[in-house]
Each structure stands twice: as structure tokens, then as C-alpha cells.
């Protein structure tokens, strides 16, 4: 039997506020353990939470960016459960009345556009973090993360493949980065995702038993975990075994998902409205002022890159898929106003290096990049030599002009000097010269290549061509 996968994602994104969602403690990552805590985020008796307005602003921006309907009134609820990283014994979240609902995000997989529904976006606080000792059988708890504001973005089960899931995640992350409300750092856990996945016979309406996958902190792991789970569930169903509703973890070492615990149902958490917090009322003016000041989003920028710079859709897609890259492109075009050339360069050499060196955008400033492209354009260096200059810029971060001077890479456009070398090459290769004179004009490539070799790529190729035409033509 053929099966199809049904995938829904729950994304948690840390909001980039300076202070926590219900108290004034700092949120910065990496501080010594338990130094960013107070009686409120530790849940001491008698302490009262106060909502951080900035966190609401940020959550609303995301709601607007994904075309959600914002609820005029939403309510914070207590999600009750015990875990050592949760000092209050409950997490403040939203349940029945979330901040926003019914949005969507458009993704593109294999050239096909698809709309993925967003069920809801709600605000909540993060829990602390357990640190397990590797040398001793003990665990420590760090409450610095307790109370850091999160939005949870829940998708409809509209995703059909691991590739679609990854595209959706990349799209969400990109919007968060464009809005500058989340740093998107997956390793530090500021952007993380759980997946619900089930299989059903192809064409069936009813959903199969779902499994929740946790602990996936990179796009690669999300893809691998979903692929593994599709195989596992298909094998079980084909063999007539039942799928158990449970929570599974992605084990990066073993490359497989492993059972963690039976899945809780919502009623296990005994949700109820938090009596310490008033409902959140969003007045229309608040929402309107956020809407008016919303930054340009990836989709809009993609369109603009095609109309304003005349870029092909493919270029525009690659460049706008990463806000930093799109910013870099625009800054470089300001220095060197030939958009397609800048795009070619960024999407070629530059991105190849960027994969290895994420800090490349600060090593090579847009001003330096523009200068390099200008040097090729004006003929000061050859395109071949520019590749060597770029490698040196990557290594040292030096100015391209300084590198050219140091390495003596200035393009030789002095015809007298080139002619002398060309003459020697012709004399050393009488057979090729005769071939050319006999009409085999393809041999020209050989001669220019020889000249490039002897001048270490510094000869102006246009000029080299003209010189050989002249010298070889004379003897004809
Ligand atoms: Zn606190």
C-alpha cells in the first residue's frame, strides 16, 4: 500500500527583548548560571508577573507578517506539569484564547508554490535548562532561561514531505530575522522546532496516529528525523503493527529517533487562566501603528530585487533567502552599480567561501567588494587575477588595491611588453603558428593561454588577442 506523510510543525522562537516576559531580568545568552533570576521568574510565593509590552509588540509583528488574525483579547493560561527546570510547577502560556490565529506562509519546493496554514501564534515563557555532568552522575539546573519570552508558531498539518518542512522552517526563520525579533540561532535554542508526523494510506481522509519529534536543532536534523520516521512508520504499518502515540527524540549519534515518553494530551496539563495576569487587549491603534511600520518582508524584497535591479527570479530568491545576504548585495550595488555583475559574483565565488566562513561579510566589506569588481571592470586587473585577489582578501581582509600592489598583479596593458613575450611564444611553437596561418584559428586560444601563463594571468586578454592576430597575420 502507498502511504502519504502528514506533518505539522510547532516552532518556538525566542524574542529578542532585553528583559524577560514577566520580570526585569536580563535575557542575554551565555551569562554564568543563575545570575539572571529574581523572585518572579523563580516563582517565589507572593511574587507577581507583569507583562513585557515589547514581547507583545514582537509577537504581533510576526502575526502581521504571516497574515494572522490578531485576537482583540487573549488570555494567559497556566500549563501545569512538574519538571526540575520549571520552578513554578507551571509554565505561563496561552491556550484557549491565543494572541493570533489563521495565518499562512507560502513556500516553494521544486519550483512549486504551496501555501502552509498557520493555526496560531501565542506568547509564552521559556523554562530553565538542565545541564548534565559528563564526569559525575549529577545534573545542574540553570534558571537564566526561565521566563525568556517565546512565541510558539503552530502550523496546520499541511506539510507532506521533509523538504517541505525544511522550506517552511527556513521561511519562518527568515521572516523572524527580517523583523529583527529573533536571532534565529538554532544551536543556542533560540529557534527550535517539534514536529508531529503521521502516515495515512494515500487518498485517505482520516489522519493516522501521530508521533511527536523533539530535540531537532538544525535543518539537517529535522530533515533526517522526518525521513527516518516516515520509513519507520511505513515499515510498521506495512507489517500490520500499530503506531504508538508517543514523543520521540532525534538521536544524532545513532541517526535514528528513539522513544522518550508516551504523549501527553492537552487535558493532562490542567490548563486554566492565570489569575495573576489580566487579559491582553490589543486596541486597533496599537496594531495599526505596528502594521504601518512593518519592515519590508522577504516576499516583497524578492519582487523588488527583480523590478528595481532587473535580476532574474532565481538570483532574487537566493539573495533574499537570507536577510544579511540581501543587505550585503544592496550595499555592494551602492559601491558598484551593476546589479547583475554583483549578483553573479556574490552567488559564485563569494557564497562558496561564505559556506566555510560565516564571518566573511564582515571580513570583506561591501566597499571592498565593490572596489574589487570595479578593478576588473576598468581593466586594472584581469578577471583571472581577481580570483587570486579575492582569495587573499578572504585570508587577510586586506584592501584589494593593497593586495594588487603587493603581489604585482596589475594587468599588463602595455602592448610593447606583451608583444616581446608574444614573439617569443610564436618562435617557440612553430607548428602551432603554421597551423594558425593555415586557417586553424582555434589555435589562438593556445597562444593567449601561453601568454597568460607567462604573465601569471596579468596580461590584458583583449590586447593579447590583438597582438597575436597582428604578429601571426604578418607572416601569412
Ligand atoms: Zn526574573
Amino acid at each position: 500500500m502507498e502511504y502519504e506523510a502528514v506533518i505539522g510543525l510547532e516552532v518556538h522562537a525566542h524574542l529578542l527583548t532585553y528583559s524577560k516576559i514577566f520580570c526585569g531580568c536580563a535575557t542575554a545568552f551565555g551569562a554564568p548560571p543563575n545570575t539572571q533570576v529574581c523572585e518572579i521568574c523563580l516563582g517565589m510565593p507572593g511574587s507577581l508577573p507583569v507583562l513585557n509590552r515589547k514581547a507583545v509588540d514582537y509577537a504581533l509583528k510576526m502575526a502581521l507578517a504571516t497574515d494572522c488574525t490578531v485576537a482583540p483579547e487573549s488570555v494567559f493560561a497556566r500549563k501545569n506539569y512538574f519538571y526540575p527546570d520549571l520552578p513554578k510547577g507551571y509554565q505561563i502560556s496561552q491556550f484557549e484564547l491565543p494572541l493570533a490565529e489563521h495565518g499562512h506562509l507560502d513556500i516553494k519546493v521544486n519550483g512549486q508554490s504551496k501555501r502552509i496554514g498557520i493555526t496560531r501564534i501565542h506568547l509564552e515563557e521559556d523554562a530553565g535548562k538542565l545541564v548534565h555532568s559528563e564526569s559525575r552522575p549529577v545534573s545542574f539546573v540553570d534558571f537564566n532561561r526561565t521566563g525568556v519570552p517565546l512565541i510558539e508558531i503552530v502550523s496546520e498539518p499541511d506539510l507532506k514531505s521533509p523538504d517541505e518542512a525544511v522550506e517552511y522552517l527556513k521561511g519562518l526563520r527568515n521572516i523572524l530575522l527580517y523583523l529583527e525579533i529573533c536571532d534565529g540561532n538554532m544551536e543556542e535554542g533560540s529557534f527550535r522546532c517539534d514536529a508531529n508526523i503521521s502516515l495515512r494510506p494515500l487518498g485517505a481522509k482520516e489522519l493516522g496516529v501521530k508521533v511527536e519529534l523533539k530535540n531537532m536543532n538544525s535543518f539537517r536534523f529535522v530533515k533526517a528525523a522526518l525521513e527516518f520516521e516516515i520509513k519507520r512508520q511505513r515499515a510498521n504499518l506495512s507489517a500490520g503493527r500499530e503506531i504508538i502515540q508517543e514523543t520521540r527524540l532525534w538521536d544524532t549519534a545513532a541517526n535514528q529517533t528513539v522513544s522518550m515518553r508516551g504523549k501527553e494530551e492537552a487535558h493532562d496539563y490542567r490548563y486554566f487562566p492565570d489569575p495573576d495576569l489580566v487579559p491582553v487587549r490589543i486596541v486597533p491603534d496599537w496594531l495599526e501603528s505596528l502594521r504601518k511600520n512593518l519592515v519590508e518582508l522577504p516576499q516583497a524584497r524578492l519582487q523588488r530585487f527583480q523590478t528595481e535591479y532587473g535580476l532574474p527570479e532565481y538570483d532574487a530568491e537566493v539573495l533574499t533567502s537570507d536577510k544579511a545576504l540581501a543587505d550585503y548585495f544592496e550595499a555592494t550595488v551602492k559601491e558598484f552599480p551593476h546589479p547583475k555583475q554583483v549578483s553573479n559574483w556574490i552567488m559564485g565565488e563569494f557564497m562558496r567561501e561564505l559556506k566555510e566562513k560565516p564571518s566573511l561579510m564582515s571580513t570583506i566589506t561591501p566597499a571592498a567588494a565593490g572596489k574589487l569588481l570595479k578593478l576588473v571592470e576598468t581593466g586594472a586587473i584581469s578577471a583571472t587575477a581577481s580570483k587570486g585577489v579575492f582569495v587573499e582578501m578572504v585570508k587577510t581582509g586586506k584592501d584589494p588595491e593593497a593586495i594588487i600592489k603587493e603581489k604585482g598583479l596589475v594587468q599588463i596593458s602595455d602592448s610593447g611588453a606583451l608583444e616581446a613575450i608574444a614573439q617569443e611564444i610564436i618562435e617557440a611553437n612553430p607548428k602551432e603558428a603554421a597551423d594558425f596561418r593555415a586557417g586553424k584559428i582555434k589555435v589562438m586560444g593556445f597562444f593567449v593561454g601561453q601568454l597568460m601563463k607567462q604573465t601569471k594571468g596579468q596580461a590584458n586578454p583583449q590586447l593579447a588577442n590583438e597582438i597575436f592576430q597582428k604578429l601571426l597575420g604578418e607572416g601569412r
Side-chain angles (χ1 to χ4, degrees):
M1 193 185 287
E2 288 276 317
Y3 292 96
E4 70 166 353
V6 178
I7 303 167
L9 297 177
E10 289 169 16
V11 169
H12 286 93
H14 269 180
L15 297 175
L16 272 178
T17 55
Y18 289 109
S19 56
K20 293 186 179 179
I21 185 167
F22 298 119
C23 64
C25 291
T27 56
F29 182 85
N34 300 310
T35 55
Q36 295 174 169
V37 292
C38 72
E39 63 278 15
I40 296 169
C41 49
L42 289 177
M44 302 279 186
S47 64
L48 285 172
V50 177
L51 180 59
N52 181 341
R53 187 189 167 106
K54 202 85 197 165
V56 183
D57 266 347
Y58 285 179
L60 289 173
K61 282 186 183 183
M62 190 58 183
L64 290 170
T66 49
D67 287 310
C68 284
T69 306
V70 172
E73 189 169 299
S74 63
V75 168
F76 282 105
R78 291 187 181 180
K79 181 181 182 180
N80 299 282
Y81 65 94
F82 172 78
Y83 205 64
D85 67 5
L86 192 72
K88 288 203 291 281
Y90 61 85
Q91 177 195 23
I92 303 177
S93 180
Q94 294 189 305
F95 184 56
E96 281 169 330
L97 297 166
L99 189 76
E101 291 178 289
H102 314 304
H104 56 82
L105 177 73
D106 293 336
I107 60 166
K108 208 169 177 186
V109 175
N110 301 327
Q112 293 280 333
S113 286
K114 186 171 174 182
R115 177 157 288 189
I116 307 302
I118 290 175
T119 316
R120 55 189 276 155
I121 296 180
H122 68 248
L123 268 166
E124 61 184 29
E125 58 178 352
D126 206 350
K129 204 169 151 183
L130 291 180
V131 183
H132 307 291
S133 168
E134 278 170 23
S135 54
R136 291 183 291 153
V138 291
S139 292
F140 304 94
V141 63
D142 177 4
F143 290 124
N144 283 351
R145 205 176 67 178
T146 309
V148 167
L150 286 177
I151 42 173
E152 180 171 335
I153 306 161
V154 182
S155 86
E156 289 290 309
D158 290 344
L159 300 153
K160 293 279 180 275
S161 71
D163 284 334
E164 286 186 10
V166 169
E167 278 313 301
Y168 168 80
L169 286 175
K170 284 184 176 170
L172 275 190
R173 183 173 174 274
N174 203 24
I175 293 176
L176 290 164
L177 292 176
Y178 267 69
L179 293 171
E180 296 179 340
I181 59 172
C182 172
D183 67 16
N185 191 323
M186 295 180 84
E187 262 166 39
E188 291 176 3
S190 22
F191 181 86
R192 46 188 207 253
C193 124
D194 302 335
N196 287 304
I197 173 165
S198 62
L199 257 56
R200 66 179 169 196
L202 199 61
K205 284 261 178 312
E206 214 172 306
L207 291 170
V209 177
K210 69 179 179 189
V211 162
E212 187 182 20
L213 297 176
K214 283 191 178 286
N215 198 26
M216 301 177 292
N217 64 349
S218 78
F219 295 130
R220 196 158 54 86
F221 293 157
V222 169
K223 189 166 152 63
L226 288 171
E227 278 170 355
F228 178 87
E229 200 51 31
I230 289 171
K231 264 190 220 143
R232 187 188 72 85
Q233 293 188 22
R234 186 188 290 137
N236 276 338
L237 291 169
S238 302
R241 286 191 291 266
E242 254 178 63
I243 303 293
I244 301 160
Q245 181 169 346
E246 61 184 347
T247 299
R248 297 177 72 89
L249 283 179
W250 175 244
D251 182 336
T252 51
N255 262 319
Q256 60 181 32
T257 65
V258 289
S259 181
M260 182 191 176
R261 57 166 190 252
K263 168 72 183 152
E264 309 82 354
E265 301 281 350
H267 61 247
D268 292 328
Y269 291 115
R270 305 293 191 274
Y271 280 100
F272 64 88
D274 192 310
D276 290 340
L277 288 157
V278 293
V280 183
R281 224 163 263 158
I282 311 291
V283 294
D285 284 356
W286 184 358
L287 203 56
E288 269 325 297
S289 84
L290 286 172
R291 198 194 300 274
K292 250 189 284 167
N293 295 310
L294 211 58
V295 295
E296 185 183 38
L297 293 168
Q299 289 285 342
R301 205 172 195 186
L302 171 75
Q303 292 304 323
R304 182 168 64 79
F305 272 28
Q306 293 172 72
T307 50
E308 186 178 336
Y309 299 117
L311 292 180
E313 189 183 10
Y314 178 74
D315 292 40
E317 265 173 17
V318 173
L319 294 171
T320 56
S321 68
D322 176 343
K323 178 172 187 287
L325 197 64
D327 290 345
Y328 190 84
F329 166 80
E330 294 211 88
T332 307
V333 169
K334 279 212 180 79
E335 304 289 334
F336 181 70
H338 302 275
K340 182 59 181 145
Q341 273 162 269
V342 173
S343 167
N344 288 349
W345 179 77
I346 288 182
M347 286 170 54
E349 295 172 79
F350 188 77
M351 280 179 69
R352 262 198 300 281
E353 285 293 330
L354 190 62
K355 268 187 205 138
E356 309 293 320
K357 295 193 173 69
S359 62
L360 194 62
M361 286 190 226
S362 45
T363 312
I364 300 179
T365 62
K371 210 184 248 182
L372 177 66
L373 292 168
K374 215 176 289 171
L375 286 164
V376 180
E377 173 82 5
T378 57
I381 54 170
S382 67
T384 320
S386 80
K387 299 210 160 52
V389 175
F390 175 66
V391 170
E392 202 58 25
M393 288 167 79
V394 173
K395 252 191 254 167
T396 63
K398 280 188 190 162
D399 181 84
E401 274 172 338
I403 294 169
I404 289 163
K405 267 186 206 134
E406 255 172 48
K407 306 243 162 194
L409 288 172
V410 182
Q411 180 157 278
I412 305 170
S413 295
D414 169 0
S415 57
L418 289 183
E419 235 180 273
I421 306 171
Q423 191 60 53
E424 282 173 28
I425 293 170
I426 291 171
E427 278 161 22
N429 299 282
K431 187 184 168 299
E432 282 78 5
D435 283 350
F436 182 82
R437 288 180 181 125
K440 278 195 189 168
I441 48 168
K442 268 193 191 160
V443 188
M444 178 57 83
F446 163 80
F447 282 115
V448 174
Q450 288 296 311
L451 186 69
M452 282 298 174
K453 208 164 147 190
Q454 296 218 6
T455 57
K456 296 194 178 76
Q458 283 169 255
N460 179 330
Q462 177 73 27
L463 189 59
N465 219 297
E466 283 166 21
I467 288 170
F468 278 114
Q469 288 283 2
K470 194 180 96 184
L471 293 179
L472 289 165
E474 273 170 0
R476 197 161 12 195

